[in-house]
Amino acid sequence: MASTFRIGGDLDVRRLGFGAMHLPTGPGPDRENALAVARRAVELGVTLIDTAHLYGGGANEELLAEALHPYPEGLLITTKVGVARTGPGGDWRLDGRPEILRDQVRQALRRLRTERIELLQLHRIDPGTPLADQLGTLRELQTEGLVGRIGLSEVTVDELERARELVDVVSVQNRYNLLDREHGAVLDACAAAGIAFLPWRPVAWGNTGAEAGIAAVAAELGATPTQVALAWLLDRAPVVLPIPGTARIEHLQENLAAAELKLTPAQRDRLDGFAETGPGKGPGPGPA
């Protein structure tokens, strides 16, 4: 099982990354801890960190820049645009209008203290804006040198195919984990095309029967159920790049140790048989 993947054919990252969504961005001790977690992730070899404009309206991007700038060579910080406070009363809503996407990219460049976003992902396709306008804007930003590569998030197979007719899609970020495989067909499409698949919410529980079976496999390996769930993802397809998030260094270290876990074929078959059908399945608290 390869430990690295080349996004877009030319951007090498370690397959087990870090999702920054859960890092607190307010002042005080929690922020200092968040800075320490981000720095520790890079110290432990993480080369792929995921953030978004939605996470605190850019505050998460600013936090990562404070923690990690100037960025070490080989570190990829990918961000997402297309959700904005343009709803009634300033509520968050999907907004893929060209002017919104351009503004959020400009803000991201400033907050991340960089001249180019090597991987920019459309957080969601806005049904109120033509797809050609949304992706056309990102393609223009790419042509201008402000964006290196383009990715998508929470798309269907059909949407991915339509998008690929407009731009070169190098990544897809959909909800997917051992117990929630709703987007398995999207993952398979990405694997067939060599497109990076970044599962958000890569670890989720809620099926007591399945959890007992996963715990049994973990006991056999001297690992934790979380590590088994991440190892299963890494074993699912070479294009899978999990981005587990945490605000605690001990959890970070536990997550990253999953990269060294080796499942036997028999253990893999047992884990493949678990799929969540009971309480707990769902989209989570909001867009990742």
Side-chain angles (χ1 to χ4, degrees), residues 56-261:
N60 196 265
E61 295 169 336
E62 291 179 332
L63 178 84
L64 292 174
E66 180 180 343
L68 302 171
H69 191 274
Y71 303 117
E73 184 176 356
L75 177 63
L76 170 65
I77 297 181
T78 173
T79 192
K80 299 185 288 294
V81 295
V83 185
R85 283 191 179 276
T86 54
D91 295 335
W92 289 102
R93 73 175 185 92
L94 302 186
D95 197 334
R97 290 176 294 169
E99 62 270 25
I100 296 297
L101 298 180
R102 278 189 166 275
D103 180 63
Q104 289 189 352
V105 168
R106 284 194 294 267
Q107 291 183 45
L109 291 167
R110 174 178 56 81
R111 290 173 172 139
L112 289 170
R113 307 180 199 174
T114 186
E115 296 180 353
R116 174 180 165 106
I117 298 169
E118 291 299 339
L119 175 58
L120 179 74
Q121 300 172 94
L122 184 63
H123 209 145
R124 295 290 189 276
I125 292 176
D126 173 13
T129 303
L131 181 62
D133 289 353
Q134 297 175 70
L135 296 183
T137 300
L138 300 189
R139 186 178 58 241
E140 289 171 1
L141 291 164
Q142 189 178 37
T143 300
E144 294 165 17
L146 301 179
V147 169
R149 300 155 193 81
I150 297 171
L152 304 172
S153 181
E154 280 303 282
V155 292
T156 65
V157 172
D158 288 344
E159 288 170 336
L160 174 58
E161 290 178 353
R162 286 195 290 124
R164 294 184 68 201
E165 294 173 357
L166 299 169
V167 296
D168 181 18
V169 178
V170 303
S171 71
V172 168
Q173 187 172 151
N174 277 24
R175 189 185 73 251
Y176 189 83
N177 57 64
L178 176 55
L179 298 182
D180 181 356
R181 308 179 201 173
E182 177 183 348
H183 295 294
V186 180
L187 169 51
D188 291 340
C190 288
I195 296 171
F197 185 88
L198 285 63
W200 67 266
R201 204 181 181 204
V203 178
W205 309 117
N207 183 323
T208 304
E211 288 172 22
I214 296 166
V217 173
E220 294 170 7
L221 293 166
T224 67
T226 292
Q227 289 172 332
V228 168
L230 290 171
W232 179 85
L233 280 172
L234 290 169
D235 201 44
R236 173 65 170 79
V239 301
V240 176
L241 313 179
I243 46 171
T246 180
R248 297 175 60 182
I249 286 180
E250 57 267 35
H251 286 168
L252 170 71
Q253 295 174 161
E254 174 189 353
N255 291 342
L256 296 180
E260 306 304 320
L261 204 60

Side-chain angles (χ1 to χ4, degrees), residues 271-284:
L271 294 170
D272 284 347
F274 299 130
E276 184 174 350
T277 56
K281 182 175 180 180

